[in-house]
């Protein structure tokens, strides 16, 4: 067996002790690095988790706000439609009112033509209130259905009322006389021409 001197043995023990110390330091460094790696892994996982939660939250918020703005736009669109509908409703009401007025005017025109036909065909009675030599007196419009303008040479006669019976015309004459038309008298007409002057009573 080989012989080792004591000094070499001591050196060897010192080297082993140094190696053990270095080994322990290296193990401590490895443990420290492992702890750092674990900590950085945990931090990375936590950061990844927080980032994931943030992204999911941002995505949810974006979806919610997009849906909310979409519903607001729909509400705004509905509101605009409501306003447009109300405006349209007002326009329709105005149009209906205009049509009613036109219908009333047409009814008056229709009554005028029916009265003209009535005057031209049947024997009617009217109360003559005045006669003039000139036709430049504008007592009433020709559009009035209860007014007659008859030319009896050389006069223009103005009569009020178109009655089917003599009795109605005589009652109306009395009302006109009470109002101050003392010269008013009842005349009968056929086909737009005066037939005769009737008895006032």
């Amino acid at each position: 067996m080989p012989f080792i001197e004591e000094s070499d043995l001591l050196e060897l023990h010192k080297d082993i002790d140094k190696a053990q110390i270095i080994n322990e330091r290296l193990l401590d460094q490895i443990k420290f690095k492992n702890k750092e790696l674990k900590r950085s892994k945990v931090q990375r996982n936590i950061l990844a988790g927080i980032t994931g939660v943030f992204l999911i939250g941002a995505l949810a918020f974006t979806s919610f706000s997009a849906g909310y703005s979409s519903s607001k736009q729909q509400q705004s669109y509905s509101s605009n439609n409501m306003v447009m509908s109300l405006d349209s409703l007002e326009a329709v009401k105005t149009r209906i009112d205009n049509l009613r007025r036109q219908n009333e005017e047409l009814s008056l025109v229709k009554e005028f033509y029916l009265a003209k036909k009535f005057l031209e065909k049947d024997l009617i009675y009217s109360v003559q209130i005045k006669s003039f030599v000139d036709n430049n007196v504008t007592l009433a419009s020709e559009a009035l259905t209860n007014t007659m303008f008859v030319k009896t040479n050389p006069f223009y006669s103005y009569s009020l009322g178109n009655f089917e019976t003599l009795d109605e015309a005589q009652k109306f004459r009395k009302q006109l006389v009470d109002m101050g038309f003392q010269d008013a008298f009842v005349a009968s007409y056929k086909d737009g021409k005066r037939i005769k002057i009737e008895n006032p009573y």
Side-chain angles (χ1 to χ4, degrees):
M1 186 158 179
F3 178 76
I4 299 179
E5 289 192 23
E6 211 167 298
S7 65
D8 285 333
L9 188 61
L10 268 164
E11 283 289 323
L12 234 133
H13 276 292
K14 281 183 186 178
D15 285 340
I16 290 175
D17 284 339
K18 281 182 185 177
Q20 278 181 346
I21 290 173
I22 290 172
N23 204 10
E24 284 176 9
R25 282 185 187 162
L26 286 174
L27 282 174
D28 285 342
Q29 285 179 353
I30 288 173
K31 284 180 184 177
F32 181 74
K33 289 288 183 186
N34 279 340
K35 283 182 184 178
E36 280 184 5
L37 282 174
K38 282 182 182 178
R39 203 174 320 140
S40 69
K41 246 186 194 180
V42 168
Q43 286 175 349
R44 215 175 330 146
N45 288 341
I46 290 173
L47 185 61
I50 291 173
T51 304
V53 168
F54 177 75
L55 288 175
I56 290 171
L59 184 61
F61 178 75
T62 305
S63 297
F64 175 74
S65 63
Y68 181 71
S69 69
S70 170
S71 79
K72 258 196 153 181
Q73 286 175 349
Q74 287 176 348
Q75 286 175 349
S76 173
Y77 178 72
S78 296
S79 175
N80 287 342
N81 276 348
M82 182 75 96
V83 170
M84 290 173 59
S85 295
L86 290 176
D87 290 342
S88 298
L89 185 60
E90 287 298 321
V92 168
K93 284 181 180 178
T94 304
R95 180 74 176 139
I96 288 172
D97 289 340
N98 288 338
L99 288 173
R100 280 187 184 141
R101 269 188 247 113
Q102 289 175 357
N103 191 23
E104 289 171 4
E105 291 171 3
L106 289 174
S107 293
L108 291 174
V109 170
K110 181 181 172 186
E111 287 176 16
F112 172 75
Y113 283 110
L114 288 175
K116 286 287 188 188
K117 285 183 181 179
F118 170 72
L119 291 176
E120 291 170 0
K121 290 184 179 178
D122 296 330
L123 180 68
I124 61 154
Y125 302 93
S126 186
V127 180
Q128 182 173 323
I129 56 168
K130 205 70 169 164
S131 289
F132 297 95
V133 176
D134 294 324
N135 191 19
N136 60 3
V137 178
T138 56
L139 289 177
S141 168
E142 283 194 33
L144 295 173
T145 58
N146 279 341
T147 306
M148 288 181 44
F149 306 99
V150 179
K151 180 160 177 36
T152 55
N153 285 332
F155 299 104
Y156 293 93
S157 301
Y158 295 89
S159 298
L160 295 176
N162 299 318
F163 303 99
E164 291 182 15
T165 66
L166 180 60
D167 187 49
E168 290 174 318
Q170 288 171 338
K171 286 179 184 175
F172 183 63
R173 179 203 163 270
K174 184 172 180 345
Q175 290 175 353
L176 289 175
V177 169
D178 292 343
M179 290 171 56
F181 291 94
Q182 299 298 325
D183 297 335
F185 60 89
V186 177
S188 57
Y189 296 87
K190 186 167 186 163
D191 295 326
K193 295 181 183 171
R194 184 166 71 193
I195 306 288
K196 68 175 188 171
I197 296 174
E198 301 290 336
N199 183 1
Y201 307 105

